[in-house]
């Protein structure tokens, strides 16, 4: 059995549960720390089922997702050690985290936070890595630089808000047809954003050489 496919289908079923709002909040919170299933899996069908509540669901998703990311940030900041590294390896996020960590050590930390919040790039990796790099910066320079918790939260709210309110608004206005189109193209749009940012960074690096 593919465990991730099972969890994906489980979240879709939970979206129809009488306590779906609670499950949405829990899923959004833990997804920003370690959980593999994105909030969109529950948010989209819930918005479709009760379109008048779509913006409310989006707001709850943003709040709980950013709160979870704050926990991920402090996880990286305070208790990043071999035990946490083992968990990251077990979740198969080790290579992703190292890649993100490399970008964070350059001047693109804030941009990376936005990418994680808005696109399909694993937000949990961005959150934990932000904390790790901030802690290392404090240890080396006495300051977290641009990666303070306040900056992290502000950029996360903007990125998560754009993503989830956009989804909710499209479904609220377009109904089932738009929900299906959104499910089909959301990842493509997200990865195109990542590609554009990567091209911009590559251009800047080459231009400044």
């Amino acid at each position: 059995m593919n465990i991730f496919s099972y969890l994906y289908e489980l979240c879709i079923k939970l979206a129809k549960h009488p306590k779906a709002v609670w499950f949405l909040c829990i899923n959004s919170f833990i997804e920003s720390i370690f959980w593999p299933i994105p909030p969109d899996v529950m948010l989209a069908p819930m918005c479709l089922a009760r379109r008048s509540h779509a913006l409310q669901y989006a707001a709850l998703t943003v709040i709980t997702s950013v709160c979870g990311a704050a926990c991920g940030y402090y996880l990286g900041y305070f208790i990043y050690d071999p035990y946490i590294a083992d968990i990251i390896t077990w979740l198969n996020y080790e290579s992703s985290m190292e890649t993100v960590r490399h970008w964070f050590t350059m001047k693109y930390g804030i941009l990376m936070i936005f990418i994680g919040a808005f696109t399909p790039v694993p937000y949990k990796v961005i959150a934990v890595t932000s904390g790790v790099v901030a802690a290392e910066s404090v240890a080396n320079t006495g300051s977290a630089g641009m990666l303070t918790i306040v900056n992290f939260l502000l950029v996360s709210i903007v990125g998560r808000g754009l993503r989830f309110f956009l989804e909710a608004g499209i479904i609220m206005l377009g109904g089932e047809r738009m929900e299906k189109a959104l499910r089909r193209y959301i990842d493509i749009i997200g990865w195109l954003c990542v590609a554009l940012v990567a091209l911009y960074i590559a251009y800047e690096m080459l231009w400044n050489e």
Side-chain angles (χ1 to χ4, degrees):
M1 178 186 293
N2 189 322
I3 184 64
F4 295 112
S5 295
Y6 172 78
L7 292 174
Y8 189 94
E9 294 299 326
L10 176 62
C11 285
I12 292 178
K13 291 179 181 178
L14 289 176
K16 302 175 183 178
H17 194 277
K19 301 290 185 180
V21 172
W22 288 101
F23 292 127
L24 172 67
C25 291
I26 292 170
N27 183 73
S28 300
F29 182 86
I30 62 176
E31 187 272 337
S32 296
I33 307 172
F34 66 91
W35 190 244
I37 308 302
D40 319 68
V41 173
M42 293 191 66
L43 178 63
M46 288 175 64
C47 290
L48 183 61
R50 301 184 69 183
R51 280 192 271 176
S52 61
H53 288 66
L55 297 182
Q56 177 185 339
Y57 294 151
L60 289 172
T61 304
V62 172
I63 293 169
T64 51
S65 180
V66 173
C67 286
C71 292
Y73 177 97
Y74 281 118
L75 178 69
Y77 192 96
F78 289 116
I79 57 173
Y80 184 75
D81 57 30
Y83 294 105
I84 302 300
D86 288 342
I87 294 174
I88 291 172
T89 300
W90 179 72
L91 291 172
N92 201 30
Y93 289 129
E94 187 176 31
S95 60
S96 299
M97 186 169 179
E98 282 302 316
T99 300
V100 173
R101 191 173 182 176
H102 171 70
W103 287 112
F104 268 112
T105 57
M106 302 173 67
K107 61 180 181 179
Y108 305 107
I110 293 297
L111 187 59
M112 290 301 296
I113 295 171
F114 179 80
I115 289 174
F118 183 71
T119 72
V121 170
Y123 188 36
K124 60 192 74 59
V125 174
I126 299 292
V128 175
T129 307
S130 296
V132 171
V133 176
E136 290 178 345
S137 179
V138 169
N140 294 329
T141 68
S143 170
M146 293 297 290
L147 293 178
T148 63
I149 183 62
V150 173
N151 288 342
F152 174 79
L153 292 177
L154 289 176
V155 177
S156 292
I157 290 170
V158 172
R160 296 265 96 173
L162 285 174
R163 174 171 174 163
F164 296 133
F165 276 103
L166 179 63
E167 290 181 16
I170 290 174
I171 294 172
M172 184 173 64
L173 296 174
E176 185 174 359
R177 181 172 61 86
M178 291 306 297
E179 189 269 341
K180 290 180 178 178
L182 184 66
R183 186 184 303 179
R184 182 176 181 181
Y185 294 113
I186 186 64
D187 278 352
I188 295 175
I189 294 171
W191 286 118
L192 283 174
C193 290
V194 173
L196 288 173
V197 170
L199 287 173
Y200 166 74
I201 293 174
Y203 172 79
E204 283 247 315
M205 292 173 64
L206 292 173
W207 181 262
N208 291 327
E209 283 188 352

